[in-house]
Amino acid sequence: MSCALAPVAMAFSTPASATTYYVRTDGGTDEQCNGRADAPYPGSGSGADCAWRHPNYALPTNDRPRIEGGDTLIIGPGDYMIGWESPGLSTKSLRCDRSSPYDCYPAAPPSGTPQQRTRILGAGHDTGCKAPPTLWGTNRVDLVFNLQDADNVEVGCLEITDRSDCVEFHANEGVRCERDAPPFGQWASIGIGAKRSKNVWLHDLNIHGLSGRGVMAGGLRDWTIERVRIHANGWAGWDGDVGEGESSNEGDIVFRNVEIAWNGCAERWKTGEPFACWAQEEGGYGDGLGTGKTNGRWLVEDSRIHHNTSDGLDLLYTDESRTATVVVRRVYAAANAGNQVKTAGNALIENSVIVGQCAYFHGKYDMSDGDMCRAYGNALSIGVGPKQTATVRHNTITGEGDCLILTAGGNATSRVDIYNNALIGQKDVTASDGDRRSCAHYADDSTAEVTFKGNAFWNVKDDMCPPGNVCGREPKIADGELASFDPAPLAGSPLIDHATQDTSVTSDFLRQARPVGAAADIGAIEYHGGTAAMPDSGAEPETSKAPASDRAEGPVIDGTTSGAVAPSQSSGWMIGTLAVASLLTAGVAAALRKHRGRKVE
């Protein structure tokens, strides 16, 4: 009922001065149409009540939008080329001309107010976004969608991509984009670019196949990203390193029900197939989500981060000297070629499934073995500073890297509490001698106090198992193999009812009630009898549910769960097989931040 009433409430709260404009493929130019009616150009006349035929007429490349802050722009079904030779390019632009086609991207939307965002939405945004319009970049345009210095903006129900298989600066000449001389081809570098932007809501977006980054955004405050797919972008999925001194974020940075996958791979634009995957050994990058040094309250929940060619979720560069916090809740992270999840500072990781199949790309997709299991492929990497606490609770963690959990930094005032987790070792593909199983935990140059209680240890190096934990008992889960890992406990599993730490966590990875029985279960999944239904994570992200509110909750580090709508793909482990200067600067900076990993044997 709240979802159904939300548009009505918004209609009553909209200021009288706000206007709705329309774009549709059969519309007219800015001289022919005023953009204020969802109607085609009638074929004659000027200033008619009809739609514009391209977003450039609403957001011209001369950076003087024809819409005002707080207005709404509805983009109709169809395809819209973004870049040099697209309709509606301004003849008075100081940045876009034949000699600089990379600058021929639309103006940023004018800033709205906290009470009334400026809205750029695909038609059908209010009925499930079944067929979003496509914005596709061409002629080496730097950005497809521009959010530089844009505040109080909503962007939703769009597909953002290009129509080329190439990757910018790729090591393989046959895959590398043409940058030096026209014709450049139908490629774009970045899907969404943003700096110095606050109070932005991105939702129901499919950002894929860009030659560089899906999103390159830093210097943000209070951004919410919901039901967004960032897939197969040639350098990285979400890159937050936009330049030294400009990248730190503030406020609530919320990712909810997102999929970030196959980044660091080229994409066949006609089929969506990934190929020519690469990372830092070959001069690329490959993180699913990575940042520069950043502040902010980060919340990542109900999301899937998999098959990226370096780290999956890399929040190791949160600023420990400030107020940064990280909450990772109900996240499925798997088959990323580096570390699956990395945090720093005060952090909470709970109810997540972390599958450190860091050698997934071995012999696949042209990936170099030197880029697999980077930083030794530790599944979960946690950094803490003085007087900081990281809590890891009710997760199921497995992996074939050096260790399942790595802790680093801090001193005697720092704490890492590891409670009620299922820690399941595999063969360590980075090991060359000795016990060749992955270790459960390793403290790297750290004197932080690490406490293990209520966990289950199985098949880990040196049979580590501190007192107060379940030791040496096969966990009896649905599938323990990395390629098809399914952490659901089976009847008779020692995980059932054996969590000893009261964490006040009242639901599990599937949002099922916890506890059921005498006590909570160890790991991410609470046993409810029978077999849990496992949705197919290879499916397209669900975009049919409108949020109950256009303002997401901020993250909290306590025992509660958020009020987010349950995603339809929250448990997908059956995943199957399936700016030039800023680009270079960020790529080099990212490479310098990484540790070199061992080659896979």
Side-chain angles (χ1 to χ4, degrees), residues 534-590:
M534 308 304 180
D536 178 9
S537 79
E540 290 294 308
E542 176 65 52
T543 58
S544 62
K545 295 177 181 175
S549 169
D550 68 349
R551 185 73 179 101
E553 296 182 18
V556 290
I557 300 184
D558 59 18
T560 64
T561 58
S562 74
V565 176
S568 66
Q569 341 281 353
S570 60
S571 66
W573 40 82
M574 300 298 188
I575 46 185
T577 60
L578 253 210
V580 177
S582 62
L583 184 69
L584 286 170
T585 301
V588 171

Side-chain angles (χ1 to χ4, degrees), residues 164-167 170-178 266 268 275-276:
S164 172
D165 296 348
C166 77
V167 172
H170 199 283
N172 183 336
E173 290 186 8
V175 180
R176 192 180 309 153
C177 299
E178 172 58 54
R268 304 281 186 196
F275 76 106

Side-chain angles (χ1 to χ4, degrees), residues 105-120:
Y105 48 83
S111 295
T113 67
Q115 296 74 33
Q116 180 61 43
R117 288 184 174 103
T118 304
R119 308 166 74 213
I120 312 296

Side-chain angles (χ1 to χ4, degrees), residues 371-383:
D371 274 319
M372 281 173 276
C373 298
R374 183 168 291 275
Y376 297 112
N378 300 295
L380 173 61
S381 179
I382 299 170

Side-chain angles (χ1 to χ4, degrees), residues 294-582:
T294 181
N295 199 31
R297 296 179 295 273
W298 291 78
L299 170 63
V300 183
E301 68 177 3
D302 297 312
S303 297
R304 297 175 297 139
I305 303 172
H306 61 91
H307 291 99
N308 299 287
T309 65
S310 191
D311 297 326
L313 176 63
D314 185 354
L315 291 174
L316 191 61
Y317 303 99
T318 50
D319 192 342
E320 295 175 3
S321 67
R322 301 180 70 189
T323 59
T325 60
V326 176
V327 176
V328 177
R329 178 183 289 136
R330 294 184 303 273
V331 166
Y332 171 73
N336 302 289
N339 306 126
Q340 308 305 309
V341 175
K342 299 167 81 169
T343 68
N346 291 305
L348 169 65
I349 301 97
E350 73 174 13
N351 276 338
S352 293
V353 177
I354 300 175
V355 184
Q357 192 183 8
C358 58
Y360 167 84
F361 286 95
H362 181 58
K364 301 184 183 77
Y365 303 104
D366 304 311
M367 183 85 158
S368 165
D369 277 355
D371 274 319
M372 281 173 276
C373 298
R374 183 168 291 275
Y376 297 112
N378 300 295
L380 173 61
S381 179
I382 299 170
V384 287
K387 299 181 180 180
Q388 293 180 331
T389 299
T391 301
V392 182
R393 63 191 186 191
H394 286 295
N395 304 285
T396 299
I397 305 174
T398 190
E400 62 184 351
D402 191 29
C403 293
L404 303 183
I405 301 175
L406 175 77
T407 56
N411 57 28
T413 68
S414 312
R415 291 184 55 86
V416 182
D417 295 328
I418 302 175
Y419 297 155
N420 303 339
N421 302 279
L423 303 174
I424 302 171
Q426 306 282 348
K427 179 183 177 182
D428 176 5
V429 299
T430 73
S432 58
D433 54 25
D435 188 341
R436 299 184 66 176
R437 294 176 292 174
S438 50
C439 79
H441 168 254
Y442 179 73
D444 182 16
D445 192 25
S446 175
T447 57
E449 180 181 353
V450 181
T451 304
F452 290 91
K453 292 183 180 179
N455 304 283
F457 291 79
W458 172 250
N459 193 39
V460 295
K461 187 175 183 178
D462 298 328
D463 295 317
M464 174 186 174
C465 191
N469 298 274
V470 175
C471 304
R473 298 182 64 187
E474 184 178 353
K476 293 185 181 179
I477 59 175
D479 195 332
E481 297 295 321
L482 278 175
S484 52
F485 191 79
D486 185 338
L490 302 176
S493 168
L495 305 179
I496 298 172
D497 294 347
H498 278 89
T500 60
Q501 291 306 110
D502 182 6
T503 59
S504 302
V505 177
T506 58
S507 64
D508 70 356
F509 176 75
L510 298 172
R511 287 185 173 269
Q512 301 173 129
R514 185 197 292 273
V516 173
D521 297 350
I522 297 171
I525 307 293
E526 187 81 6
Y527 180 73
H528 281 241
T531 303
M534 308 304 180
D536 178 9
S537 79
E540 290 294 308
E542 176 65 52
T543 58
S544 62
K545 295 177 181 175
S549 169
D550 68 349
R551 185 73 179 101
E553 296 182 18
V556 290
I557 300 184
D558 59 18
T560 64
T561 58
S562 74
V565 176
S568 66
Q569 341 281 353
S570 60
S571 66
W573 40 82
M574 300 298 188
I575 46 185
T577 60
L578 253 210
V580 177
S582 62

